[in-house]
Structure formats: C-alpha cells, structure tokens
C-alpha cells in the first residue's frame, strides 16, 4: 500500500530501470519528489540510529556559530569538515522514535531518548530533516525552552536507498565552536611554550595594544567623517532623481520572466516561443538510456538540447549577477572542471535571499572554488562524437546533464518555471525554451543605481 494515499501499488523489477513501485490504476496520489526525499532520508537515518550505525554529516564552517575556532578554520581555508551522528548524540543506549511528541506538543522527525536516570529523567535529542522548509521558529523555540538539543540535516541521495547529510542548523549542542573547549585544549597542550612567550613579549604586546587602540580610534573617526559626507551627497542625489531613474529601478525589479533558449549553432526561430505551448514545470529528473543521460520534466518531456539549455541557463543567470560557477579538481582527468553552480536568489516577498549550491554529489568532499562564468561553448569529441560543454578558458563541464537537472531543481524550489514545447526533426514534442518567473536582475539594479548617482560602472 502507498504510505501517502493508501492505494495499492505493485513492484516493477525489470532489467533496465531501477526497481520501483507504481500505483495500481485508479490512484490519485500527488506526493512530490521533495516529500519522497524527506521521508526516505528520515527513515534511513532512523534505521541507522536503531542499528547503531554511524551516519556521516558534512558541516560547512560558515554554518558554525562565531568563535575563535571558526575564525581559525576560515583563515586556514577549511570550508567544511566531516562529523558523524555518533559525535552529535553520544548516548549509545538510546531508543529512537519516528515523529514522537515530546514536551507536550513538539513532534520532531526523529526523537532519541536515553535511559532513565536515578532521578527519573532521560536524555532527549531531536533530529529534523530539511528539504524545502526549515524548522519553524515556534518549534525551535519550544525545543529551546524545554532544553531539548536538536540538529537540522539536509539530505542528498547517494544511490538507490542511502543518503548523505549536510548540517543546516543546530541548537543546544557544541561541535568545535565552543571557545572554552578550544582555549583549554590549546593551553593544556602548549602550556610551557605559551607561558614563556607571554613572559618574553608582555611589555611589547602591551605597547602594541595601546598603539593599535590609538590607530583604530583615528581610523573610526576618519571613517565617520567620510560616511557623513557620503550621506549628504546621497541625500542630494536622491532628491534630484528623475522619473527616468525610477523607471530604471522598476525595470530591474520587474516581474517579467527570464526566457532562456538553448545556445546552439542554429538557434530556434525567434517567434517559436510566442505561442501558447507553455506548461508549468512540476518535476525534473535525469534518466539513463543507452549509456547516455537525458533530463526530463514532468516525467514526460525531454529537452531539444540539454547541453544548449544548460549553456543558456548558466549564461543568463550569471549575467544577472545571481549565479557563480563552482569548480573542483578531477583527479582522473588531472584537470580543473566545473562541477556545479552557486545560486543567490533575492526573495522579495519574504525580504530575504536564498543561497543554494547545485553540486555534483561525487565532489561533495572535494575542495571547491567559485568562479564567474563569462563564456560558454560546446565542442565535439573527435574520438566519441559526443558533445561537451566548456566555460571560460576551456574549463570542462562535468556531467552537464546532471548539472541541468540540479540547477532546475533549485530554481523550482524558489521560482516558477514554465517549459515551451516545440517539435524536433521527428515531429516529437521537446522542450526548446524555459520561462523563469520571480528573478531579480542584480547587475541591472546596480547599473540603475550608478546611473541615478551619475557614476560610471566601468
């Protein structure tokens, strides 16, 4: 039975596609990919906790609370490190429950309960799975008020039935962001050297501190004077703004959609997307046929050119100032390749911005570098005849089909995407254009501001 709609299902266990279950005729189930990802990751984590198996948790340094340890890691260039579920919750004799109510009305995805102490109390720990919605503020407050530590994990599929997890947020627990633990460890391991260095350099350090205080005071006073001057200039400029300046701002924040067509040697007819053949994109997936991967939307429509569409998406979003490419080292090829993209999406209605990275899972633990994408092109392999995508100065795009699927997945989370259905040479419907609603052109906004201030951006 389907756990979401209770309708009968059957198993498809062929020799081509991954084994899976499908609904029997007559079902009307609307479960989404995000729901399946959330449920699968939750059940997998619960099963590992029950079996006492350690689950790897990837922690980005920037997600830690401000501390000396975090500053040290960032100065060393450590962007992320790996921990485990056993390091987060150390009670090996705990019992784990799915969606159990604690503290009266709070129901986390997973609750871990330790053994009863002599005073009749138990260790309580909460696990939350993040896919599209983070922990509500009310739930987080209830956990804090009741002294229940928790961690919020973002899952990534790693095979048919296993998952990797990235820490999204946490409360009531410490990793290596506790300055007291950091200072005690450093002092204990280096006590003699630290005391000797302090004794020899105390006078010099005191003098340095006083000089630095004086320099900072002068610097702050100079900055304040400069700030007041700039504020007066800005006020005068704002009062002199013309209707044309206001129109430029409005255009930069326009709700008009971004239309993307494949970048190919023979672009489609400019009028081909002016008809009514647009459908809203609900889902996106990547499937393998005859050793090649193909991206499919709404479980039925393929792209006329997946490579060309990715080129168009990366070029258009980079030009708007909301996308950076992410590169890593491919040891097999012994070269740097493009392995994903970082999206920064201003969400005007929520007055916040969403930052998400569409990284190929095989590079999750590899050091990465963000780059601006200023050129995209394609080449044809002389040996295999396959087309490959390059960016900037010949950087190879690894697995462009999966990168197209990943970037569309993140866009679907925060924007509305429509696909235009054209016909290929065989007369079959194929997606030949995308229309993305809800984007703001950051670079165009900067140009409008500079123009209003009578400044040049060049």
């Amino acid at each position: 039975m389907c756990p979401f709609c209770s309708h009968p299902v059957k198993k498809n266990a062929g020799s081509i596609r991954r084994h899976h279950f499908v609904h029997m005729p007559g079902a009307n189930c609307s479960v989404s990919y995000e729901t399946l990802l959330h449920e699968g990751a939750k059940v997998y984590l619960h099963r590992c906790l029950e079996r006492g198996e350690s689950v790897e948790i990837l922690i980005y340094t920037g997600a830690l609370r401000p501390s000396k340890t975090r500053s040290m890691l960032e100065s060393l260039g450590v962007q992320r490190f790996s921990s485990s579920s056993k390091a987060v919750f150390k009670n090996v004799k705990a019992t784990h429950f799915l969606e159990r109510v604690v503290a009266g009305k709070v129901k986390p995805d997973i609750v871990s309960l330790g053994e009863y102490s002599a005073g009749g109390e138990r260790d309580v720990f909460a696990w939350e799975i993040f896919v599209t919605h983070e922990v509500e503020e009310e739930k987080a407050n209830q956990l804090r008020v009741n002294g229940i530590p928790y961690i919020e994990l973002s899952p990534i599929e790693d095979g048919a039935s296993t998952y990797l997890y990235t820490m999204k947020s946490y409360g009531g627990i410490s990793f290596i962001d506790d300055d007291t633990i950091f200072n005690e460890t450093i002092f204990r391991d280096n006590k003699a050297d630290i005391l000797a260095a302090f004794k020899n350099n105390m006078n010099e350090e005191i003098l340095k501190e006083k000089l630095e205080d004086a320099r900072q005071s002068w610097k702050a006073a100079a900055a304040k004077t400069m700030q007041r001057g700039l504020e007066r200039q800005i006020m005068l400029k704002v009062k002199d703004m013309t209707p044309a300046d206001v129109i430029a701002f409005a255009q930069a924040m326009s709700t008009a959609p971004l239309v993307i067509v494949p970048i190919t040697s023979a672009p489609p007819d400019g009028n081909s997307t002016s008809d009514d053949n647009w459908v809203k994109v609900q889902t996106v997936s990547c499937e393998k046929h005859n050793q090649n991967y193909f991206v499919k939307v709404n479980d039925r429509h393929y792209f006329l050119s997946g490579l060309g569409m990715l080129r168009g998406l990366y070029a258009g979003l980079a030009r708007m100032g909301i996308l950076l490419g992410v590169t890593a080292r491919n040891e097999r090829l012994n070269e740097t390749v493009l392995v994903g993209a970082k999206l920064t999406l201003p969400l005007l209605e929520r007055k916040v911005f969403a930052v998400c990275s569409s990284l190929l899972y095989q590079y999750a633990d590899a050091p990465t570098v963000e780059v601006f994408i200023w050129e995209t092109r394609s080449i044809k392999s002389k040996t295999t005849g396959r087309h490959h995508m390059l960016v900037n100065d010949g950087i190879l795009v690894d697995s462009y089909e999966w990168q197209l699927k990943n970037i569309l997945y993140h866009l679907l989370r925060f924007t509305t995407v429509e696909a235009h259905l054209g016909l290929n040479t065989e007369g079959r419907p194929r997606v030949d254009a995308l229309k993305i609603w809800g984007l703001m052109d950051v670079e165009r906004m900067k140009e409008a501001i500079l123009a209003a201030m009578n400044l040049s951006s060049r």
Side-chain angles (χ1 to χ4, degrees), residues 47-335:
R47 184 170 69 245
C48 291
L49 292 172
E50 283 192 316
R51 295 175 178 176
E53 299 173 357
S54 178
V55 176
E56 183 180 10
I57 300 174
L58 187 65
I59 302 173
Y60 284 84
T61 305
L64 296 174
R65 285 184 286 263
S67 64
K68 294 178 182 177
T69 309
R70 172 178 165 179
S71 299
M72 179 191 69
L73 292 173
E74 290 175 341
S75 66
L76 294 174
V78 179
Q79 298 182 0
R80 55 184 173 270
F81 58 94
S82 180
S83 185
S84 71
S85 55
K86 292 186 176 181
V88 173
F89 184 70
K90 302 180 177 62
N91 194 324
V92 296
K93 296 183 179 180
T95 307
H96 310 279
F97 303 89
L98 284 170
E99 298 186 348
R100 174 163 178 164
V101 176
V102 293
K105 62 178 181 179
V106 184
K107 187 166 68 172
D109 289 327
I110 301 174
V111 174
S112 297
L113 299 178
E115 294 181 311
Y116 284 100
S117 65
E121 298 179 346
R122 310 178 71 177
D123 289 335
V124 183
F125 190 89
W127 309 79
E128 290 287 343
I129 303 298
F130 171 87
V131 176
T132 58
H133 301 290
E134 59 187 4
V135 176
E136 299 86 358
E137 187 62 27
E138 182 180 356
K139 178 184 282 190
N141 286 334
Q142 286 292 327
L143 292 171
R144 284 192 289 266
V145 168
N146 289 278
I148 301 175
Y150 71 94
I151 185 170
E152 186 179 18
L153 303 175
S154 179
I156 304 171
E157 287 184 300
D158 182 30
S161 58
T162 58
Y163 300 83
L164 303 174
Y165 297 89
T166 299
M167 187 188 73
K168 180 70 177 178
S169 66
Y170 63 102
I173 58 176
S174 295
F175 291 97
I176 58 171
D177 60 344
D178 190 322
D179 282 340
T180 302
I181 297 175
F182 174 71
N183 293 334
E184 288 177 353
T185 303
I186 294 296
F187 182 75
R188 183 180 63 249
D189 295 342
N190 304 276
K191 181 176 180 179
D193 293 338
I194 291 175
L195 291 176
F198 176 79
K199 181 178 179 180
N200 294 332
N201 298 301
M202 181 174 63
N203 292 332
E204 181 183 354
E205 290 299 323
I206 291 176
L207 180 60
K208 278 185 177 180
E209 183 179 352
K210 291 185 178 297
L211 290 174
E212 180 63 19
D213 288 344
R215 189 180 73 84
Q216 291 295 338
S217 297
W218 173 85
K219 186 177 179 181
K224 191 172 184 179
T225 301
M226 179 179 293
Q227 180 181 353
R228 288 175 177 172
L230 288 173
E231 288 175 353
R232 286 193 294 269
Q233 292 183 36
I234 291 173
M235 290 178 65
L236 292 174
K237 291 291 185 181
V238 170
K239 290 180 180 179
D240 292 338
M241 283 181 61
T242 66
D245 297 326
V246 177
I247 291 175
F249 285 124
Q251 290 175 338
M253 298 180 65
S254 172
T255 57
L258 172 68
V259 178
I260 299 292
V261 296
I263 300 179
T264 60
S265 57
D269 181 6
N271 297 322
S272 62
T273 60
S274 60
D275 51 36
D276 295 327
N277 295 333
W278 290 94
V279 296
K280 184 177 180 180
V281 178
Q282 303 284 355
T283 61
V284 59
S285 59
C286 195
E287 296 183 352
K288 188 174 183 181
H289 300 288
N290 298 326
Q291 305 304 314
N292 293 320
Y293 284 99
F294 298 90
V295 180
K296 185 166 64 171
V297 300
N298 296 345
D299 295 326
R300 60 185 302 181
H301 300 303
Y302 295 96
F303 282 89
L304 187 64
S305 171
L307 186 149
M309 186 58 69
L310 182 66
R311 288 181 60 193
L313 274 172
Y314 277 5
L317 297 176
R319 185 170 56 251
M320 296 174 70
I322 58 177
L323 178 140
L324 291 173
V326 178
T327 62
R329 192 71 183 171
N330 185 306
E331 299 300 335
R332 182 177 61 83
L333 300 177
N334 193 27
E335 64 176 313

Side-chain angles (χ1 to χ4, degrees), residues 446-447 450-451 455-458:
K446 293 178 183 178
E447 291 293 336
L450 292 173
L455 297 174
S456 173
S457 61
R458 303 186 181 280

